[in-house]
Amino acid sequence: MTSPTPAAAAALPDSIRDRFPIFENLTYINSCSQGALSDSVRAAYEDYLTNLRTKGSDWDAWVGKQEEVRGLVGRLLNTASENVALTASASVALSAIVSSVDFSGERSVIVTTDLDFPTAAQVWHAQERRGAEVRTVATDASGVLDLDELDRAVDDRTAIVSVPHVCYRNGAHVDLAAAVEIAHRHGALVVVDAYQSVGARPIDVEALAPDFLVGGALKYLLSSPGTGFMYVNPATTADLVPTSTGWFAARDIFAMSIDAYDPATSARRYEAGTPAVPSLYAAAAGIGLLLEVGVEATAEHVAGLCARLRAGVADLGGTVVTPASAPGPLIAVRSTDVDALVASMAADEVVVSSRDGNLRVSPHFYNSGADIDHALAVLRDHKELLA
Ligand SMILES: Cc1ncc(COP(=O)(O)O)c(C=O)c1O
C-alpha cells in the first residue's frame, strides 16, 4: 500500500493546504464532484503546453506519461502496473469490460444495485440488446445495501455483479469483501465502481481480488477529466477479450496491422485510442501529491471531519442521510429545497453540491475543521432548508 510521508501526513491539512489556492477565497468541500486544483497540477498542465510549444509532437514523452500514470494507479491500488488500463472515463472502462463478456450462454444476468452510479446502470441496460437481463437490488430507507438480498439476487445464471464502493448520492459504503465473496461463490465476475472512494479510502485490489475495479482521476485524485482507469485481475480474467477496442490496446501498438485484431494480454487490452495527454500530465501530478500524503492519513483526517459535520448537523436538528456506518468522504444531508440550499451556501462562499434532493459535503485532506464549522454556520443561517 501507499507509504505516507510523515511530513506531509503529520499535520493535515496545514501541511498541504497552501498548495491549493482556491482556499484563498472559497470554502471548497466538493471533492466528490471535482478535486481542488493544486499548484503541482497547474504546473503539470503548463509543462504539457511547454512541451507542445517547444517540441511539437513528443510522443515518447507522452506515452511515458501514460506509463507513469499507470504505475501511480497501480501503487494506489496495490497492484502491478500491467494490471491497470487507462481509459477516457469510468464509463468507457465499464463499456470495455462488458464488451468482453458473453451473455448468449447460460450466464446472461447482470446484478446491480440502486447505489450504483447511473452510468453503470445504463451500460448494463445497454447489454439487454446483447441478450443480458439486468436485476437491480434496491436499498431501503436506511440506504444500506442488504447483503442477504444481494446474495439472493445472484445465482448460477449471473455473469456480472456490479457494486459501488461508496454511493455517489448518499455516501453509503458497500462491504466489498462480502460482495466479492457472493459473486465468486456463484462463479460470477464482480465489477467495483470505486470512483467515489479512490484516493480517499484505502483500496487493496490484491487483497480484495475483484475481477475489475474502475475509477477516475478528477475527484479525490485531484486531477482532470479525461483519465479513467480500471484494475483487471489477471488471475480471473485472462480468457476475456474486449470487442470495444482500438490501436492502443494492440499487443504491438506500432504493428499497424489492418489484417487482424491482436490485443495485448495485459490489462492494456481494455484501452482504445490516443490517450488524453494533457489529462495524463494532471493525473501524474495529482496522484503523485496524494501518494505523498498517503491514502491512510487522508482517510483518517477525512473521517474526523465527517464526524464533526455529522455532530454539527445533529445539533442543528438536521438529518444526515448517510448511513451511520459510513466514515466518509461523502456526507449527505437532507434538505427541503436543496437547490436553494446549495445556492445559499455558494453565496456565502461555501462550495458543496447535491444529488437526490440531498446536500453533499465531501471533504478531502486539504479541508480543515474550520471549513466544516464554516459550512455548519451557513447551514445554521439557512436552517429552514434542513429537513
Ligand atoms: C461513482 C461514479 N461512477 C462513475 C461516474 C462517472 O464517471 P465518468 O464520467 O468518468 O464516466 C461518476 C461520476 O461522478 C461517479 O461518481
Side-chain angles (χ1 to χ4, degrees), residues 32-33 88-92 94 116-117 119-120 164 166-168 193-196 214-216 218-219 227-228 355 360:
C32 68
S33 177
S89 64
S91 304
V92 168
L94 291 168
D116 276 275
F117 193 80
T119 206
V166 171
C167 173
Y168 76 103
D193 179 352
Y195 212 149
Q196 286 293 340
V214 304
L218 71 86
K219 301 176 193 289
T227 300
R355 286 278 187 238
R360 298 191 305 173

Side-chain angles (χ1 to χ4, degrees), residues 299-337:
E300 193 182 324
H301 176 67
V302 166
L305 296 175
C306 289
R308 187 177 183 128
L309 178 67
R310 280 179 182 277
V313 170
D315 284 349
L316 293 175
T319 307
V320 170
V321 175
T322 306
S325 55
L330 172 60
I331 298 293
V333 178
R334 187 169 296 151
S335 174
T336 53
D337 183 346

